[in-house]
Amino acid sequence: MGTFALSPRLWTMTGNLATRGAGFVTSLIISRLLGVNELGVYSGLINTATAVSNPFAVVVTNNSTLLASQHAKADTPAVLRASFLIAGLLACVSSASLALIYQFGLSDASASQPLLIAAGVAVVLSQVVGGVALGFLYGRNEFAWPSKTAIFFALVTLTFSYLVVRQYALAGAFLLLIILSLGALVTLSTQAIRAQGTAPDEDHSTPAHIVATRYLRSAPSVLSIAINSGVNWVCTIYLVDTAYGAAGIGVVAVAGQWMNLIMLPATSWGGVTLKSIADAINDVHHARLREVTWALMRKNLTATLALAAGIGLTSSFIAHAYNLADTDLAWVICLNCLCALVAAANNVLERLLLALDRQNAWLAFSLVGFSVQLAVTYCFIGEGVWMVAVGVFAGSTVLMLLAIASTFMSPALASREAR
């Protein structure tokens, strides 16, 4: 795929942008050719598959990045194999959850349910098992290859999605999704295996134990992400539907899409951020963890602020473009810009506590933040749909303050820096 002189941050952001762009185009094609009902089935599948796999996928990617960073290259082939095995088991759990949701909750969503489930399982495998390959490549400073892979499959999507959907309708969209998901998984996994080389010995018990221990310690992070998903569902769907119906949910959903766009740099740089923090911790002679962390936060905030300012200033035009000028959409978008800035800081703090092996602390802080978000939204949702964003801002700010107080004011961090 060639070489290109881009920084790791720009590579990862470009890859994520290509993936998102391909998803937007596919949704647009399905909507225009097949109608909104089929778009709902397709989008519902992807969102459900993401919801059941995301708690595992995030942890798998983060753990794989740390394992690749912390182990000598001669040890990593066995560590990689053990990581793939654990990720495969976690993917089975996610796939079973997906099947149960469609069997007992959404079984009438599509006439071609077996193909729908197969597409969902492919997405789960790509995110969970593919997270191992992605993390090990990040841990070896291989940021360009995953982005090139994402760009390649995005171009394939843009090339064939219209023809496939026009010819084979929703079944074609599902088949294309299966091919693209599994193709990306195989490509990344192959590159990760090649990057690790071969092990000089056959004793895999110690690496397997190391990997298993790492994942057991990650249980708080899995729980934290799962709780986050549940709280967000209650706040953005259940409470909004109770007070304002489907129209309110639409306003919140559109505003959420623009917040995701604002957060694109920070979320794309997650692997780079974790790798930088891990290197600072491992460099016991010269590490200045406090300075490294602040620098990473400044980079996230600078990029996020630039996007937030542009989108905030054009929020009224966005509302008009969606034909929602008579709603609170513009106001919710502006509030989400503030939420994105706090989330950009928390993106770094979460990885700092992960690298310091203080995931229990992050879980505790998250529970407090989620409780604040839920309480604010529940008590004040009657004031307007914009209170959803206020709840997010309040909870995220409490989480940020607790994490900063726990780390930067901690004697343990000062002693670590003094080594």
Side-chain angles (χ1 to χ4, degrees):
M1 293 184 184
T3 58
F4 208 11
L6 296 179
S7 68
R9 293 177 181 277
L10 193 54
W11 267 123
T12 54
M13 188 172 68
T14 302
N16 282 333
L17 185 61
T19 300
R20 290 180 183 272
F24 280 128
V25 171
T26 301
S27 297
L28 178 62
I29 291 172
I30 293 175
S31 179
R32 293 184 65 88
L33 293 181
L34 306 180
V36 66
N37 290 335
E38 284 73 9
L39 175 62
V41 173
Y42 184 84
S43 300
L45 169 69
I46 293 179
N47 290 339
T48 304
T50 300
V52 298
S53 64
N54 194 52
F56 295 139
V58 172
V59 171
V60 164
T61 302
N62 289 340
N63 282 345
S64 298
T65 301
L66 292 175
L67 288 167
S69 300
Q70 295 169 354
H71 289 272
K73 191 155 187 171
D75 299 329
T76 50
V79 173
L80 179 62
R81 285 191 292 270
S83 298
F84 272 129
L85 176 60
I86 292 178
L89 295 175
L90 296 177
C92 290
V93 174
S94 295
S95 299
S97 301
L98 176 74
L100 288 174
I101 289 173
Y102 273 94
Q103 179 66 33
F104 298 105
L106 301 172
S107 58
D108 296 330
S110 174
S112 56
Q113 187 184 0
L115 184 58
L116 181 147
I117 296 298
V121 171
V123 173
V124 168
L125 290 172
S126 178
Q127 293 186 354
V128 179
V129 181
V132 173
L134 187 66
F136 270 83
L137 289 171
Y138 283 170
R140 291 300 183 194
N141 287 313
E142 294 284 348
F143 295 99
W145 184 267
S147 296
K148 292 177 181 178
T149 301
I151 293 170
F152 173 77
F153 283 100
L155 292 175
V156 173
T157 302
L158 295 175
T159 302
F160 293 102
S161 57
Y162 179 84
L163 296 175
V164 169
V165 173
R166 184 180 180 87
Q167 183 68 29
Y168 300 105
L170 199 57
F174 287 146
L175 286 172
L176 183 61
L177 182 61
I178 293 171
I179 294 171
L180 294 173
S181 298
L182 297 183
L185 171 62
V186 172
T187 302
L188 284 177
S189 299
T190 301
Q191 180 62 18
I193 293 171
R194 289 176 177 175
Q196 309 313 315
T198 56
D201 57 81
E202 297 299 326
D203 183 12
H204 306 322
S205 58
T206 300
H209 174 73
I210 292 172
V211 174
T213 300
R214 165 65 65 180
Y215 276 86
L216 288 175
R217 291 179 179 176
S218 298
S221 293
V222 175
L223 182 59
S224 175
I225 297 170
I227 293 174
N228 186 12
S229 299
V231 170
N232 284 331
W233 182 87
V234 171
C235 291
T236 61
I237 297 180
Y238 178 76
L239 293 178
V240 173
D241 182 57
T242 300
Y244 303 102
I249 295 176
V251 170
V252 173
V254 171
Q257 289 177 341
W258 286 93
M259 181 175 172
N260 289 336
L261 178 61
I262 298 171
M263 286 295 300
L264 183 62
T267 54
S268 299
W269 299 339
V272 184
T273 298
L274 183 58
K275 171 63 175 173
S276 299
I277 292 174
D279 288 344
I281 292 174
N282 294 334
D283 185 8
V284 296
H285 298 294
H286 303 95
R288 294 194 302 272
L289 188 56
R290 193 188 307 267
E291 288 79 0
V292 169
T293 304
W294 281 121
L296 292 169
M297 290 177 67
R298 284 195 298 271
K299 290 179 180 179
N300 272 12
L301 288 170
T302 299
T304 304
L305 179 60
L307 285 173
I311 291 175
L313 291 173
T314 59
S315 58
S316 295
F317 297 100
I318 294 172
H320 278 89
Y322 281 92
N323 200 25
L324 295 173
D326 57 342
T327 69
D328 289 332
L329 178 59
W331 180 224
V332 178
I333 289 176
C334 291
L335 290 173
N336 276 354
C337 291
L338 297 177
C339 296
L341 292 173
V342 180
N346 286 341
N347 181 276
V348 177
L349 294 171
E350 179 181 8
R351 284 156 179 78
L352 173 62
L353 288 172
L354 170 63
L356 291 174
D357 201 16
R358 297 188 58 206
Q359 297 176 72
N360 285 323
W362 181 257
L363 174 60
F365 301 153
S366 297
L367 290 175
V368 175
F370 298 151
S371 299
V372 171
Q373 176 187 352
L374 183 60
V376 170
T377 308
Y378 177 80
C379 293
F380 300 103
I381 188 63
E383 298 296 322
V385 71
W386 51 273
M387 285 305 304
V388 173
V390 174
V392 173
F393 180 77
S396 299
T397 301
V398 169
L399 172 60
M400 178 183 67
L401 294 176
L402 289 173
I404 289 176
S406 173
T407 52
F408 294 109
M409 299 179 184
S410 170
L413 180 58
S415 63
R416 184 185 290 268
E417 291 177 327
R419 288 187 301 172

